[in-house]
Amino acid sequence: MKNRRLIITLLISCILLCCTAQAVTLRITVVDEETYDAVSGASVYVDGDYVGSTSSSGTYSYVHSEDDDLYLKIVRTGYRNWMGYVDYDATRARVEMIREDEILTFELYDAGTLQPISGAVVDVEGDDYSDSEVTGRDGSAEFSVRSGESYDVEISASGYYDLSKTVEMENSARVVQYWLFSNDLLAVQVQDSETSEPIEGAEVFVDNARAGATDADGRLQLHLERAERYSIKVTAADYQTYLENRYFETDDVLLQVDLVKSAYPVSITAFNEAKNPIEGAEVYLNGMFQGKTNEYGRLVFSDLHGGTYQIVVKAPGYGDWSETYLITGAGEDIVAQLGYDRASVTIRAKDPDNNPVAGAAVVIDGQVIGTTDGLGCLNTPLVTNKVYAVTAACEGYRNISVNAEIPLGTTEFTVPLVMEQDFDIWMLAAGVGVVAALLLAVVMIVRRRRAARNRGKSRGRDSL
C-alpha cells in the first residue's frame, strides 16, 4: 500500500515538472513613442481577454504555456490602441504607444463688454508643433494637438493688449477662455474719502462732456486714447466736485477718485411737551455722542457733512427721541420734541383705621381708570411732571378727591386715599326703631308671663 502511494506521488511530481518546464514568462514593457517614458495603467489583453495592467514602471509579466503566437492588445486613455502578435516563446515585448490627438479650443471675450472677439490671432507652439488660427464670429479657434503635452500660446487682436499663456493638455479635449482688455480702456473708481465706500450715481465728465455715471460699485469704464491729457470732473450729491487735468500714460488703467463730503450748518433743538426748551439734553449722531444742548435747548453743528444720520436726543425724565434725517443742504433746523417719562403710579384706598377699601372706583382727570383690588390698590402708568385730579368713590364711603403731582424723573409713585365711612341718618333711625320694637316685644312678653303666674297663684288660694 505504501509503495502504491509513493508511485502516485512520483508520477504527479513528474507531471508538474514537465508543465513547469513548458511555462513561459512574457515581460511586456509599454513606453511613450516620443518621450520613451513608461506608460503606467495601460490595460493588457491577450487573445481578446483582459489579463491585467502595467505597473508604475510601465511593465507587466504574463506567464503562459501556449504553443501558438499570442495576439497582444494594449489600451491606454490618451493613446492610440496598440495591437500585434508576439511569438509564443518570446520572453520580452516592447510596445511604443502613439499619443492620440485632442482638440484644444480657445474662446476670447472682451473684458469690458463681455462680447466675443472675432479676428484675433492665436499662435500655438509646442515640441515639433506650430500652428496659427484666427477666431471666428463666436470668438473661438480650434487646434488639433497631442494630449499630455505643454503648449505656449500668444494672442493678439487689434485694439487689445497682447496675451501670453501656457496650456497643459490632458488626455481629453479642452476648452480655455480668456479675457482681452482693450488698450484704450480706463476704469474710474469713485469712493468716499473717509469710509472708502463706493459712490453710486456719480457723474463723470471728460473735457466737459458727460461720459456716464458710476454703477453700484462706484465704477465707470471709459475708452480714452493714451499719451493724451484730459480734463476729468466728477460730481455727486452732497459731495464736493472733483476736478483734475491729467496726462494718461500707456500703462494707466485705473483712475481712483476720492470725493469729500460737503459740509452744512445744522442745529438740533430739544423741546418738551410744554414747548419749553430742554437744557443739557444729550445729542447722538449714528450712535456717537456729539454734545449737550444749551440753555435754549439747542446744539449747533457748523460743518456737518451731508448724508443720512440717525439722530437720538436723550434727557433725564424724558423718553428718548429718535429720527433718521437726510442732510442735503444748509440752514437745517431739526426740532426734537421729547415726551415726559411715565411713572408706575399706585392709587391706594384705605379707611381711617388703615384697612384697605376694595372695589373703589378711581377717576383721574375725569377718566375712569378702574377699581381697587382686595388690597385697596390700583396701578396705572402716568406721565411725570404733571398734576392729576384723582377721585375715588365706593358704596358706604364718602367720595374723596385729591390733586397728585408726579415729579419729573419719578419711576414709581403712590397716591394714598383715606376714605371715611358714610352713615345714613334714615338708616340709623330705622335701626334704632328696630331695636326699640324688639325691646318693646321683650317687655310685653315678660309682662304676660308675670300676669300668667299671678292668675295661677289666685286659683290656688281660691281652691283652698
Side-chain angles (χ1 to χ4, degrees):
M1 186 68 178
K2 291 183 178 179
N3 292 334
R4 183 179 297 177
R5 289 181 179 177
L6 180 60
I7 293 171
I8 292 172
T9 303
L10 290 174
L11 288 174
I12 293 174
S13 299
C14 290
I15 293 172
L16 292 175
L17 288 173
C18 291
C19 292
T20 303
Q22 293 178 356
V24 177
T25 299
L26 174 63
R27 181 180 177 83
I28 303 169
T29 302
V30 182
V31 298
D32 185 286
E33 180 196 34
E34 294 184 359
T35 63
Y36 299 111
D37 293 335
V39 178
S40 62
S43 300
V44 180
Y45 295 83
V46 177
D47 294 334
D49 295 328
Y50 173 77
V51 296
S53 60
T54 56
S55 63
S56 59
S57 61
T59 60
Y60 179 78
S61 296
Y62 177 65
V63 179
H64 68 94
S65 58
E66 302 291 336
D67 54 3
D68 293 326
D69 293 344
L70 304 177
Y71 178 68
L72 188 64
K73 180 180 178 181
I74 309 297
V75 178
R76 177 68 163 83
T77 302
Y79 291 88
R80 299 176 185 175
N81 295 345
W82 185 95
M83 294 168 287
Y85 283 92
V86 177
D87 292 341
Y88 72 93
D89 57 351
T91 58
R92 292 182 179 276
R94 181 180 175 85
V95 176
E96 296 181 357
M97 300 193 72
I98 300 173
R99 287 185 179 272
E100 192 171 34
D101 289 345
E102 299 290 352
I103 299 300
L104 173 60
T105 303
F106 293 90
E107 295 180 352
L108 307 180
Y109 298 92
D110 186 292
T113 65
L114 312 183
Q115 297 298 316
I117 301 174
S118 61
V121 178
V122 182
D123 293 318
V124 179
E125 298 285 341
D127 293 339
D128 299 327
Y129 182 90
S130 180
D131 196 4
S132 180
E133 296 287 346
V134 177
T135 57
R137 295 181 60 183
D138 62 352
S140 67
E142 293 184 351
F143 296 84
S144 180
V145 297
R146 294 285 180 87
S147 60
E149 294 193 6
S150 177
Y151 295 91
D152 294 326
V153 182
E154 296 289 337
I155 301 174
S156 60
S158 177
Y160 294 89
Y161 289 106
D162 293 341
L163 182 66
S164 297
K165 292 288 185 178
T166 299
V167 178
E168 298 288 342
M169 279 301 293
E170 299 176 353
N171 295 324
S172 60
R174 185 178 180 188
V175 177
V176 291
Q177 299 175 329
Y178 295 123
W179 295 114
L180 293 188
F181 291 88
S182 175
N183 55 21
D184 67 349
L185 181 65
L186 177 72
V188 179
Q189 174 72 58
V190 182
Q191 62 185 25
D192 186 285
S193 61
E194 292 186 1
T195 65
S196 297
E197 291 293 325
I199 300 175
E200 181 180 5
E203 301 279 347
V204 179
F205 299 83
V206 179
D207 291 339
N208 294 323
R210 184 182 182 277
T214 56
D215 59 16
D217 296 321
R219 298 171 185 166
L220 176 66
Q221 291 185 353
L222 304 177
H223 291 275
L224 298 179
E225 294 292 334
R226 297 302 193 272
E228 296 285 345
R229 183 175 293 278
Y230 298 92
S231 173
I232 306 296
K233 182 174 72 170
V234 181
T235 63
D238 300 320
Y239 286 89
Q240 299 178 19
T241 299
Y242 171 91
L243 185 62
E244 179 184 11
N245 286 316
R246 181 162 177 171
Y247 182 86
F248 290 98
E249 303 285 353
T250 56
D251 295 332
D252 290 335
V253 295
L254 176 66
L255 173 62
Q256 181 169 307
V257 177
D258 294 329
L259 294 185
V260 179
K261 281 193 173 183
S262 300
Y264 308 107
V266 176
S267 66
I268 298 176
T269 306
F271 289 98
N272 60 22
E273 296 180 8
K275 307 300 182 182
N276 296 321
I278 302 175
E279 182 180 0
E282 298 179 346
V283 178
Y284 297 81
L285 298 183
N286 294 336
M288 299 294 293
F289 175 71
Q290 302 297 321
K292 295 184 178 182
T293 57
N294 59 19
E295 58 184 317
Y296 304 105
R298 178 172 295 182
L299 179 65
V300 178
F301 300 89
S302 60
D303 55 354
L304 187 63
H305 288 161
T308 301
Y309 293 89
Q310 178 71 23
I311 304 176
V312 177
V313 181
K314 301 180 179 182
Y318 297 89
D320 294 349
W321 180 91
S322 177
E323 290 288 345
T324 299
Y325 271 84
L326 176 62
I327 307 301
T328 59
E332 292 217 28
D333 188 4
I334 299 172
V335 176
Q337 181 171 318
L338 279 66
Y340 294 116
D341 274 341
R342 280 175 164 73
S344 177
V345 177
T346 300
I347 309 299
R348 180 170 294 164
K350 59 183 179 178
D351 64 16
D353 295 329
N354 211 29
N355 297 314
V357 177
V362 178
V363 178
I364 298 179
D365 286 349
Q367 182 178 358
V368 177
I369 303 301
T371 58
T372 57
D373 58 17
L375 298 177
C377 296
L378 173 65
N379 185 269
T380 183
L382 295 177
V383 173
T384 62
N385 199 38
K386 187 177 178 181
V387 178
Y388 294 90
V390 182
T391 301
C394 184
E395 185 177 357
Y397 293 87
R398 296 177 184 176
N399 295 347
I400 184 171
S401 295
V402 298
N403 291 327
E405 181 180 359
I406 312 300
L408 181 66
T410 301
T411 58
E412 293 184 356
F413 192 80
T414 300
V415 179
L417 300 177
V418 179
M419 303 183 69
E420 296 184 358
Q421 292 183 344
D422 188 12
F423 294 98
D424 192 336
I425 189 62
W426 296 108
M427 292 184 64
L428 180 60
V432 171
V434 170
V435 173
L438 290 174
L439 291 175
L440 180 60
V442 170
V443 170
M444 293 297 293
I445 292 171
V446 171
R447 286 181 176 179
R448 287 178 181 177
R449 287 180 178 177
R450 287 180 178 177
R453 290 195 192 102
N454 291 332
R455 285 195 297 270
K457 290 180 180 181
S458 298
R459 291 193 190 100
R461 286 195 297 267
D462 293 339
S463 60
L464 291 175

